[in-house]
Amino acid sequence: MLQLSKKHNRVCVVGDDAQSIYSVRGANISNILSLEKAFPGLKTFKLERNYRSTQNIIEAANSLIHKNKNQIHKNIFSENEPGTKIKVVQCFSDYEEAYVVANQISSMKARSGDRYEDFAVLYRTNAQSRVLEEALKNGGKRDKHGNRIGSIPYRIYGGLSFYQRKEVKDAISYFRFIVNPDDDEALRRIINYPTRGIGDTTMGKIQHAALQAGVSMWNVICNPVRHNLSFNSGIKKKLDEFRNLVEECMELNRSGANAYDTASHIINKTGLLSVLLTENTPENISRQENINELLNAILDFSSLAQEEGNENVQLVNFLAEAALATDQDKEQNDGDCVTLMTVHAAKGLEFNNIIIVGVEEDLFPSALSADRISGIEEERRLFYVAITRAKKNCIITFATSRYHNGQTKTCTQSRFLRDIDPQYLSFSQTSFGKQSKPQSFTSISSAQRDSSQRSSLFPNRSISSTPTQHQATFQTKQPAVSSAATSGGNFTSHSIGEVSVGTRIQHNRFGSGTITSIDNSKDPKIIVSFDNFGEKTLLLQFAKFQIIKN
């Protein structure tokens, strides 16, 4: 720009520093922040009126972005109606969060008369879409028997649905081939990924021999001499290594190992994950997250099947569910659909109703940005962009536990929620917190708000300093957990003598529910009516939950 304007010193720049969110692609916010220094005498015209959003949404976004030190200060305002407060919902798990989102969409659509296309769900990482897709396919709601009630149409904006992503399809192809080695389509996809030096010429010979003999390509690889094939020593060694790798995984699968153990072994042995670690690019990080999320899905499938007493927990059983999900993906259309997308993809778009999910530390803001002030400020700008996509209603959700790398991880709400003036927010909890009193919020001074960042504006926490008339106070009642559960709030199995009909429990995935029936047989079972998931039959031997005292 300096070179282009060198002669006449005339430039015209249009931009919003509060929406600079692409440093990963080379954007540098200092280009706009230091523009006046580069061009002395530059006149700045601030376009501060927002024509899109309600006053409450704009004021909430203002209070957030004002926490950034590196910015051109503006006072964005709206002359639209005041609108409703931003609703912040604390969910128990990422699984419950997804179904809460689906239920919110269904109920809001019924009340407002909006179409599905007036709703968008925003997330920080692509991998978060899996559980959301599942919940929308199930319609969010279930009847008392746990059966699905309809579905909510959706589309992935600027991307693919979870099971259509390349890295997920690569892994699924490996799983398919280990379960069925006669699957030539899967073999062609995986035999040289990650790269093994088995090229098209070799594959052409194998395929031709298989067609001639009327057998699978795997049969030819295992018996090349029988099919009159010979390879040089280098290719033969590579094919032998591939065959040994596959046979090792097949042996584990034949042993009766559960789907998760088999799948994680395949991922590790084949190098599907490690090949993505070679370059620390945003694209590779996203692909790593998707493979880990696939393993989360398989672990979820295996553990829940065990709790429900279902013996069909092998890889082939998971593939049947994944095939169903893939078929449903193909049925998606571009008509009246809810939009799912990353916050980055949402820039420049607007919807009547925005739901921002996963607003937790190490997720939003990303753990990759937490060690740099500039990184945190960009993540805050990203959150600002998310909120200001909403025209009428904005809902923010976070979970207190989330599946991550095969384990349930305890989560805390994002620091960015503490950056928003609470007078613009309305806090609530799912069934996990129904015994808690509703919160009320008043404005707090900047100094008090900064000091409160060591604590939380949510239930089960209190601000450490003495409350004043300007300070929000929270008096909530934590659900009492039976001493039968392990210390530290962990979920554990319980004996038949610890439960009874009417007992309220907190399950590690399904959230809160009430025991409606007990089967005191050889393998004791309980039937639980969960608040968000209908009835579930669980084996006491394997079910992990807490007992809540009313």
Side-chain angles (χ1 to χ4, degrees):
M1 185 184 298
L2 286 171
Q3 292 298 317
L4 290 173
S5 61
K6 189 174 183 180
K7 183 176 180 180
H8 299 289
N9 197 36
R10 296 173 183 170
V11 297
C12 178
V13 177
V14 178
D16 184 358
D17 61 295
Q19 297 189 51
S20 177
I21 58 174
Y22 283 110
S23 65
V24 71
R25 296 183 183 176
N28 187 344
I29 192 173
S30 65
N31 288 336
I32 191 168
L33 296 182
S34 60
L35 204 59
E36 289 185 340
K37 293 181 180 178
F39 296 93
L42 184 75
K43 292 183 179 180
T44 301
F45 301 89
K46 297 180 181 180
L47 307 179
E48 297 177 308
R49 181 177 177 183
N50 179 293
Y51 292 85
R52 170 191 301 147
S53 307
T54 64
Q55 294 178 26
N56 192 81
I57 289 171
I58 293 303
E59 291 301 329
N62 281 341
S63 67
L64 168 75
I65 201 63
H66 286 167
K67 299 301 184 300
N68 273 7
K69 293 182 178 179
N70 296 311
Q71 63 172 299
I72 298 173
H73 288 279
K74 297 175 288 294
N75 183 30
I76 306 300
F77 68 94
S78 170
E79 294 184 356
N80 296 334
E81 67 274 17
T84 59
K85 293 184 177 184
I86 293 176
K87 185 177 181 181
V88 180
V89 184
Q90 173 181 320
C91 303
F92 175 68
S93 67
D94 52 340
Y95 198 63
E96 185 181 48
E97 178 186 53
Y99 280 83
V100 165
V101 167
N103 289 336
Q104 287 280 344
I105 291 172
S106 293
S107 59
M108 290 173 69
K109 181 177 182 294
R111 290 196 308 269
S112 67
D114 281 343
R115 292 165 57 84
Y116 283 126
E117 64 187 20
D118 295 318
F119 293 83
V121 183
L122 310 185
Y123 37 79
R124 180 62 182 83
T125 67
N126 272 306
Q128 290 171 258
S129 79
R130 182 189 66 82
V131 288
L132 292 165
E133 291 181 61
E134 176 187 328
L136 293 174
K137 287 171 184 174
N138 293 343
K141 295 182 180 295
R142 292 174 180 253
D143 62 23
K144 68 177 184 177
H145 302 295
N147 298 318
R148 300 171 181 177
I149 302 177
S151 63
I152 297 174
Y154 70 89
R155 64 173 181 142
I156 307 289
Y157 181 86
L160 298 169
S161 58
F162 183 78
Y163 285 101
Q164 298 300 323
R165 295 167 190 167
K166 178 189 180 300
E167 56 278 7
V168 175
K169 292 176 77 172
D170 289 337
I172 293 290
S173 293
Y174 267 103
F175 301 160
R176 284 169 47 196
F177 187 68
I178 297 304
V179 168
N180 175 22
D182 292 331
D183 189 336
D184 285 350
E185 180 186 9
L187 174 61
R188 281 191 289 268
R189 186 179 185 102
I190 68 172
I191 194 167
N192 200 38
Y193 185 79
T195 303
R196 297 185 176 89
I198 302 173
D200 292 341
T201 300
T202 301
M203 287 301 295
K205 292 178 180 179
I206 294 171
Q207 184 169 347
H208 179 74
L211 289 172
Q212 289 288 98
V215 297
S216 68
M217 294 171 67
W218 175 247
N219 187 289
V220 174
I221 291 173
C222 293
N223 305 283
V225 176
R226 182 188 302 174
H227 297 284
N228 300 315
L229 278 182
S230 61
F231 301 102
N232 63 46
S233 58
I235 294 298
K236 183 178 183 303
K237 180 181 178 182
K238 292 169 184 175
L239 288 172
D240 287 344
E241 289 174 346
F242 175 72
R243 188 183 71 248
N244 292 336
L245 167 66
V246 169
E247 287 178 343
E248 178 185 337
C249 295
M250 286 179 176
E251 182 59 33
L252 178 61
N253 184 57
R254 286 192 293 265
S255 72
N258 66 48
Y260 178 75
D261 288 342
T262 305
S264 56
H265 182 81
I266 292 170
I267 295 294
N268 290 329
K269 283 292 183 178
T270 58
L272 279 176
L273 193 55
S274 60
V275 73
L276 298 174
L277 301 176
T278 55
E279 292 184 47
N280 196 31
T281 63
E283 292 78 15
N284 270 8
I285 292 172
S286 179
R287 293 179 186 122
Q288 294 166 33
E289 290 168 344
N290 284 330
I291 288 183
N292 280 321
E293 185 59 29
L294 176 62
L295 289 174
N296 287 343
I298 300 172
L299 179 61
D300 196 21
F301 165 82
S302 300
S303 59
L304 291 180
Q306 183 186 50
E307 287 195 36
E308 294 173 348
N310 188 345
E311 296 180 356
N312 300 318
V313 293
Q314 290 187 272
L315 191 57
V316 65
N317 306 118
F318 172 78
L319 286 174
E321 287 209 355
L324 178 61
T326 303
D327 289 341
Q328 288 176 306
D329 289 341
K330 295 174 182 176
E331 295 172 3
Q332 298 302 324
N333 57 65
D334 294 325
D336 185 24
C337 299
V338 173
T339 301
L340 306 184
M341 67 181 116
T342 64
V343 182
H344 280 98
K347 184 179 178 181
L349 302 178
E350 60 183 41
F351 298 85
N352 282 351
N353 310 288
I354 289 288
I355 304 176
I356 311 168
V357 301
V359 184
E360 301 145 22
E361 284 296 304
D362 294 337
L363 185 54
F364 204 169
S366 166
L368 299 176
S369 303
D371 60 343
R372 294 172 290 111
I373 293 176
S374 61
I376 288 296
E377 293 209 341
E378 177 157 328
E379 291 284 310
R380 189 178 282 112
R381 293 193 295 271
L382 190 60
F383 193 37
Y384 173 85
V385 167
I387 292 173
T388 54
R389 298 311 92 198
K391 297 168 68 176
K392 295 181 179 179
N393 299 296
C394 182
I395 298 175
I396 297 170
T397 67
F398 71 94
T400 56
S401 66
R402 187 173 294 272
Y403 260 19
H404 183 70
N405 292 340
Q407 295 181 336
T408 300
K409 172 188 173 184
T410 300
C411 305
T412 57
Q413 70 277 358
S414 172
R415 71 190 73 185
F416 296 155
L417 292 177
R418 297 192 293 270
D419 288 341
I420 301 175
D421 192 323
Q423 69 175 304
Y424 303 117
L425 303 177
S426 171
F427 291 80
S428 67
Q429 295 173 299
T430 59
S431 55
F432 176 63
K434 280 187 175 178
Q435 296 184 15
S436 298
K437 296 178 182 178
Q439 302 129 313
S440 61
F441 298 87
T442 56
S443 62
I444 57 178
S445 68
S446 298
Q448 290 167 330
R449 186 181 296 114
D450 290 342
S451 68
S452 74
Q453 290 192 5
R454 294 185 299 274
S455 58
S456 166
L457 294 182
F458 295 89
N460 314 327
R461 304 273 184 170
S462 61
I463 295 177
S464 57
S465 57
T466 304
T468 70
Q469 60 178 342
H470 301 294
Q471 191 172 11
T473 60
F474 313 96
Q475 296 178 345
T476 59
K477 191 174 182 180
Q478 172 85 337
V481 178
S482 166
S483 59
T486 57
S487 61
N490 294 329
F491 294 86
T492 186
S493 56
H494 295 263
S495 67
I496 193 74
E498 295 177 84
V499 296
S500 60
V501 173
T503 298
R504 289 283 291 173
I505 71 168
Q506 184 73 26
H507 188 267
N508 65 340
R509 292 296 275 163
F510 297 129
S512 295
T514 303
I515 297 176
T516 59
S517 180
I518 298 175
D519 178 3
N520 191 8
S521 57
K522 181 181 178 181
D523 296 315
K525 305 178 184 69
I526 56 174
I527 297 177
V528 185
S529 177
F530 287 101
D531 299 344
N532 286 318
F533 299 95
E535 284 189 350
K536 294 284 184 181
T537 300
L538 305 176
L539 285 175
L540 275 179
Q541 179 183 359
F542 298 114
K544 300 294 189 295
F545 59 88
Q546 296 175 339
I547 296 175
I548 303 173
K549 292 180 179 178
N550 295 318

